[in-house]
Amino acid sequence: MAYIPFDLTGKVALVTGGNRGIGYGMAEALAQSGASVAIWGRDAKRNTEAAEELAAHGRTVKAYTVDVADEKAVADAMKQTAADFGRIDTVIANAGVGYGSPSFVDMTTETYRKTLAVNLDGVFFTLREACRHMVERARAGDKSGGSLVGIASLAAIEGAARNEAYAATKGAVISMIKSIAVEHARFGVRANAILPGWIATDMTSAAQNNATFAEKVIPRVPLRRWGEPKDFGGLAVYLASDASSFHTGDLLIIDGGYSIF
Ligand code: NAI
């Protein structure tokens, strides 16, 4: 008999920042595994294009223009998404920004606040609304629970020079995820964090075009390449699936071995 927990037919997954990069890689694998998928992003045009591409896998896909730093927009969009799909089983808080600075002493308060607004406030608003939806469902007798995922970063656990604000938000995401996991286990809601290493997306375009980086950093990745958005598909499917029903409060590192070398 076939092993079927990775079949996501009937499940609904929401990926914030799902219109490109790592979020898109996860959204695509979720759709390919049978889930109905909602993506949130700020760029309406790219949202529409991404939704059309993802729908080519034969599943229902809808895109919503949402700024996750906007508390009311997140609350409204979560209600709308749940109404449109009937339920939400998995929420992946992936939307993020990567503002660095020439040095910590030159890091402006504006950069600090802009980073926190998306990477920390945005994750807080998204996961709080997701929990409200999942707890309400559980209290109404639905025993299927839910899966929450926060996209952190190796910056949370390693020294990320010139990225102190960014690193602080990612460390906070891990702490928030662990707290959510403990508090919501009784509702069947699981929460895990993913820590990507060096992944080739728009966020890292400067590093990808930097010869010194290519010479000094990528050779230190044991698997000897940049990560790609599609490297996150399998983990997204696993965390959205019943295969991970006893897995919560964990940190999952996808970095080609960079952090252990
Ligand atoms: P990306 O820049 O390609 O994609 C970011 C996504 O977030 C886009 O879809 C964008 O529209 C969305 N977004 C940004 N601000 C938003 C807002 N205020 N409201 C709604 N959506 C918003 O970047 P990438 O690399 O795909 O990043 C995804 C996540 O992975 C981020 O949380 C990032 O911090 C994290 N990460 C990325 C790494 C990398 O090497 N690329 C390494 C470690 C973590």
Side-chain angles (χ1 to χ4, degrees):
M1 200 167 87
Y3 181 75
I4 54 165
F6 292 121
D7 179 358
L8 301 183
T9 303
K11 291 193 187 285
V12 178
L14 161 64
V15 184
T16 71
N19 66 13
R20 67 169 201 238
I22 293 172
Y24 184 88
M26 294 190 288
E28 183 165 43
L30 292 164
Q32 287 172 317
S33 299
S36 299
V37 176
I39 55 171
W40 290 3
R42 271 187 310 192
D43 179 344
K45 183 167 171 287
R46 181 58 206 147
N47 280 347
T48 307
E49 289 165 1
E52 279 170 15
E53 290 163 23
L54 294 169
H57 296 295
R59 305 295 161 179
T60 304
V61 179
K62 285 183 191 294
Y64 302 79
T65 304
V66 186
D67 178 352
V68 296
D70 180 336
E71 181 174 13
K72 183 170 182 317
V74 170
D76 290 348
M78 194 66 74
K79 284 197 187 77
Q80 190 62 51
T81 305
D84 289 348
F85 287 86
R87 59 187 292 115
I88 310 173
D89 301 286
T90 296
V91 175
I92 303 182
N94 161 78
V97 290
Y99 304 119
S101 171
S103 68
F104 184 41
V105 294
D106 291 318
M107 188 171 285
T108 64
T109 306
E110 189 197 359
T111 295
Y112 171 75
R113 300 246 183 262
K114 275 193 331 190
T115 308
L116 262 70
V118 179
N119 292 9
L120 187 51
D121 296 1
V123 171
F124 173 77
F125 298 147
T126 302
L127 296 182
R128 186 182 57 180
E129 295 309 318
C131 283
R132 285 177 173 157
H133 166 73
M134 290 176 184
V135 168
E136 192 180 296
R137 267 206 285 110
R139 290 206 163 117
D142 180 345
K143 298 205 183 315
S144 58
S147 176
L148 303 173
V149 181
I151 305 302
S153 167
L154 280 193
I157 56 168
E158 298 199 318
R162 298 174 290 280
N163 272 293
E164 285 78 3
Y166 179 82
T169 63
K170 297 304 188 178
V173 166
I174 293 173
S175 304
M176 201 190 308
I177 283 286
K178 287 184 179 176
S179 303
I180 291 169
V182 171
E183 185 176 340
H184 296 79
R186 73 199 65 184
F187 300 108
V189 176
R190 301 175 293 103
N192 292 285
I194 297 176
L195 282 63
W198 291 108
I199 315 303
T201 65
D202 288 2
M203 186 178 280
T204 52
S205 59
Q208 289 170 61
N209 294 315
N210 182 316
T212 310
F213 194 94
E215 187 193 326
K216 294 197 166 28
V217 180
I218 295 306
R220 285 185 46 219
V221 177
L223 284 173
R224 287 182 171 70
R225 67 168 173 87
W226 278 88
E228 293 173 21
K230 66 175 166 35
D231 290 321
F232 292 80
L235 191 46
V237 171
Y238 166 71
L239 291 174
S241 78
D242 296 337
S244 61
S245 59
F246 199 54
H247 198 166
T248 196
D250 202 5
L251 316 183
L252 299 131
I253 297 176
I254 299 196
D255 68 347
Y258 184 76
S259 58
I260 52 149
F261 185 46

